[in-house]
Each structure stands twice: as structure tokens, then as C-alpha cells.
Amino acid sequence: MSGAPSEPVLISEVQARVARELDRLAPVIDPLGRRFAEAGHTLALVGGPVRDAMLGRAGNDLDFTTSARPEETERLLRGLTGALWDMGRDFGTIGAQIDGWQVEITTYRSESYDPTSRKPEVNFGDSLVGDLSRRDFTVNAMALTVPERGFEDPFGGLVDLANRVLRTPGTPEQSFSDDPLRMMRAARFAAQLGFTPAPEVVAAMTDMAGRIEIISAERVRDELVKLVSAPWPRRGLELLVETGLAAYVLPELPALRLERDEHNRHKDVYEHTLTVLEQAIDLERSRHGEDAEPDFVGRFAALMHDVGKPKTRRFVDDGTVTFHHHDVVGAKITRKRMKALRFSNDQVDAVSKLVELHLRFHGYGSGEWTDSAVRRYVRDAGDQLERLHILTRADCTTRNKRKADRLRRTYDDLETRIERLSEEEELAAIRPDLDGAQIMEILGIPPGRDVGRAYKFLLELRMDHGPQSEDAARDALLAWWPGED
Ligand code: ATP
Ligand code: MG
């Protein structure tokens, strides 16, 4: 997979993109802006949509910030749409669906923080700049007032965006101490946007990594999911590992950096894992299309597939290293970690099943499996079969091209056999349109050889013509009877 972008963004290109994006947004943002302006309020598009307009990443989520208090926002929105939600009201947010756009309007914030609490306390503020100063990164702290389209960028977000840099509006120490989740968000945006955190951001993350422990598992999980589902997860994961954050949120990952043995014999499992993840993403795209939704479960399984290795590593006398049962041990470790991160049972089951099965194919040799071994593979993988295909194929990082080609062809062979078998089995599952009891009743015959012959006749009929109504099958059966041997 290609690396994240590193070239600076051209300002002329940014201007052109923003102009195009504003044309697209005008039908929704202009009437909304006029409505708030008429009521004496400021309304500004803010954060993600402003940043993404500049990067040419079009979305349908429109976040706004406003001087209006939530009750006022709600009143103003009611005149425009009936589809409102207010789950975020305590945090100042009223949501609305307007012509297919997801609109969220939040009252200016001026939080005060209790450094020991998990969630920032909410206080409403009274200035746009004050609101922007409390945001996580400068590229997320730009706003566009509507309908007049005044660009507010008090912290140099545009320059940072052009240089693809993540910087905090204030000092990173203050920012991360106010809300340690922002350290996870830095890694997430590195993975999502391909941006590089400024050196002082990395330094603060490194010094303050342990603070992430006051954040709830659910909030950490949500950022981790976004990171892994992003286009360049390697960037975000490496940042988590290098700063020491991973030791708190996903300790199994840094643990893969096994020291090499004295002969420098076994490969670096950590590097291997990141490559497997990237290869899994490539396969996801080539098999499901460029526009397919990112598959978090499959990707997370790629990330966790070898986590059983550190615990199962044994040095053998002949100088080799073994990792017996690292699949089973890894599945257990994966289950435990995902439960701690409060993943759903379905996700825990799916990922740990994939980890447990990731080695099974290696018993296939060059195609020696019996049909029943192939069937068992399919049955054990169940609804995770497609993901298992991707994981097993991705789990080959040898530089030896002949070896890699051979593995790919052998897996092609297994997939072909699975297809052929499942076609055959579906055929085998086909039943005639009438069962034995119906045949005996229609023909007025007792159990015996004739029932078997009639059954076979109806099965042939079913194969030739596909399913028929009971009446048509009865007519055909009577026309055939007594049937020649
Ligand atoms: P996306 O929606 O694509 O995930 P986003 O930038 O919109 O990206 P959100 O998590 O939706 O990210 O947050 C919306 C905006 O709110 C951000 O752009 C940022 O300005 C601000 N924000 C969100 N979470 C925090 C936080 N923990 N600390 C400070 N500001 C935040
Ligand atoms: Mg958003």
C-alpha cells in the first residue's frame, strides 16, 4: 500500500476546492445562516467540514458553532425541519437532518476542566475565537461564518494544513491535560489525514501518555476504531507505540517488538504485523472495490493475529525459535483486550475467531486437504470466511517472490475448491418437489423400490426444470407412472 501523502498542500488548490465545496453546500448553509443572522446570532461552519473542504474530502456531516443557546438553536431549526435530535443538549448540541445533510449545531463552549475527571465540564462561551481556542488541533480550529462566509483562523490552521502538521492551539501540555483523549485523536488524525504531529505534540504525548488512563474505555475505543479504519493506520499505530500511549491502550502491540535472539534469527513480529495490516487493506480494496466501507473487524484481526507470539516463544536447541499454539493463545489475549475496550460481543467473537484460525491454512500443504478438511475450514470460519481469506493471504510478508507466489497460488486453489464444493453441496441439498409420503399417497403404493424410482424421477425433473408447483409435479409424476426401469 502506498504511504501517506507528504507533499505540502498548495494554497491555490485549497482555494479552488473550498470554492467548489461551498457551491455544493450553499443550498443548506446559506438559508441556515440567514435564519440565525435574522435572530441576531452568529453561525459558523467549524472543525471537520472546514478542514475537509480544504482537503477535498467531501462529506455529509456539517458541524456548526453558534452564539445561540441550545433552546434558541432548537427553535430556529424547528422552522426548517422536523427531524431534530437533542441527545447532545447537555453539551450544547442540537442535531438535525436537512435534505440528506447531518447538521449538528453546538453553542460556543468555554470548558473548565477538572484534571481528574473523565469528561470536560461544559460551560457555554460567548465568542467564536474562544470556542476555537478550546478545540484539539489548529486544523480543526478554523471556522467559516454563514451566510457572509468570513474565514476565522486565529491559530494558523490553514498554514498547518498546507504543511500537513497537527499542532494544538495552545500548548500541547495544557491541551492534553484538559482532555487526554486528544492524544489518541492526534494518532487518529495522523492515520486519517496522513498528517504529522508537530515535535512538541509528540513530546507532550510521550511525557503525558499515562494520563490516558482517566479516559473511559469507550472513548478510547472509538478513536482506535477510527484510527484502524483510516487510510493510513500504520502512521497512527507507530505514533501510539513510539509515544508510549499504546502501552496503555493496546499493550499487545508494542509487546510484538520482540528482541531478536543472539543469532538475529526470527523476524520482527511488530514490523511484520504492520505490513500484514497494510496488505489486508490492499486486499480489502482489490476484492471489495475502492469505495467499499473500511472493514474494522478484518483489519483489527490483522493487527492482533500474532499477539500470542511473545507468550509462546521458545528457543530450541538447534537455534530456531518456535511459537507453538500462538493462534489459540493469541485468540484468548485478543478476547481479553477487546472486552476491556468494551467492544460488542459480536466483534470480540469475530476477531478472536479469525486470530484462532489464521494458521489453519498452513496445514493445506500444496493441496493435500481432503474434501472434508475443506468443509471443516468453511464451517469453522462460518460468516468470517471472506475475512479469513484476506487475513491468511495478507499474512505472507516474505521477500522471496517465488515463495510468495506459491502461497498465493495455493490459496487460489483452496478458494476454487471451496467454491466448487459449495456448488456441489448446494446441488446435493436440492430435494424433489414431492417427498416420499406424498409420492406414496399420489400413486397409492406402499414403501418400496417404486417409491425410490419415483423419487429419482422427480429429482431429475427438479434438476432439469428447477422448482415446480405441487400440482405440476403431481401431474408429471402421474404421466410418468408406472415408468420403465
Ligand atoms: P470526523 O467527524 O471526520 O471524525 P471531526 O474533525 O469532525 O472528524 P469529531 O470527533 O466529529 O471530529 O469532532 C468535531 C470537532 O470538534 C473537531 O473538528 C474538533 O474541532 C472538535 N473536537 C472534538 N473532540 C474534541 C476534543 N476531545 N477536544 C477538543 N476538540 C474536540
Ligand atoms: Mg465530525
Side-chain angles (χ1 to χ4, degrees), residues 79 235 283 306 428:
R235 286 223 169 181
L283 285 162
D306 271 347

Side-chain angles (χ1 to χ4, degrees), residues 316-353:
V316 185
D317 288 343
D318 64 6
T320 55
V321 183
T322 65
F323 302 97
H324 288 311
H325 305 303
H326 77 265
D327 43 356
V328 182
V329 172
K332 269 204 193 121
I333 296 175
T334 299
R335 183 169 283 282
K336 203 167 158 204
R337 174 57 48 206
M338 289 185 80
K339 281 193 178 286
L341 286 168
R342 307 268 194 280
F343 278 98
S344 72
N345 289 337
D346 283 353
Q347 284 177 309
V348 176
D349 289 346
V351 176
S352 45
K353 177 189 272 189

Side-chain angles (χ1 to χ4, degrees), residues 2-169:
S2 56
S6 52
E7 292 291 298
V9 182
L10 296 176
I11 296 293
S12 57
E13 220 169 90
V14 169
Q15 280 176 330
R17 282 185 194 140
V18 170
R20 273 199 304 276
E21 183 66 356
L22 286 178
D23 283 344
R24 190 175 78 98
L25 302 185
V28 55
I29 62 177
D30 287 347
L32 211 52
R34 279 195 296 271
R35 213 175 159 76
F36 278 70
E38 278 157 19
H41 286 296
T42 303
L43 182 71
L45 198 61
V46 71
V50 176
R51 176 198 73 212
D52 289 347
M54 294 175 167
L55 292 170
R57 299 165 87 233
N60 284 327
D61 289 354
L62 299 180
D63 297 335
F64 292 91
T65 183
T66 185
S67 56
R69 294 296 185 258
E71 316 74 64
E72 179 79 339
T73 298
E74 185 178 10
R75 193 180 64 75
L76 292 167
L77 279 171
R78 279 224 185 279
L80 279 178
T81 172
L84 293 193
W85 60 91
D86 71 345
M87 274 119 61
R89 182 188 292 269
D90 291 349
F91 303 98
T93 304
I94 304 290
Q97 170 107 28
I98 304 176
D99 299 335
W101 301 90
Q102 301 286 327
V103 172
E104 288 196 356
I105 303 183
T106 305
T107 304
Y108 294 156
R109 301 270 290 262
S110 101
E111 287 107 327
S112 59
Y113 290 91
D114 168 358
T116 59
S117 107
R118 287 160 171 250
K119 285 213 179 93
E121 222 176 274
V122 179
N123 288 312
F124 296 139
D126 46 27
S127 86
L128 178 54
V129 172
D131 179 90
L132 294 175
S133 73
R134 283 164 179 84
R135 292 183 178 259
D136 50 3
F137 300 104
T138 61
V139 293
N140 289 337
M142 296 184 275
L144 193 75
T145 58
V146 287
E148 62 276 11
R149 299 184 180 181
F151 181 50
E152 293 287 339
D153 179 19
F155 306 103
L158 180 56
V159 174
D160 288 339
L161 179 134
N163 293 323
R164 298 185 185 280
V165 172
L166 292 171
R167 200 186 304 280
T168 48

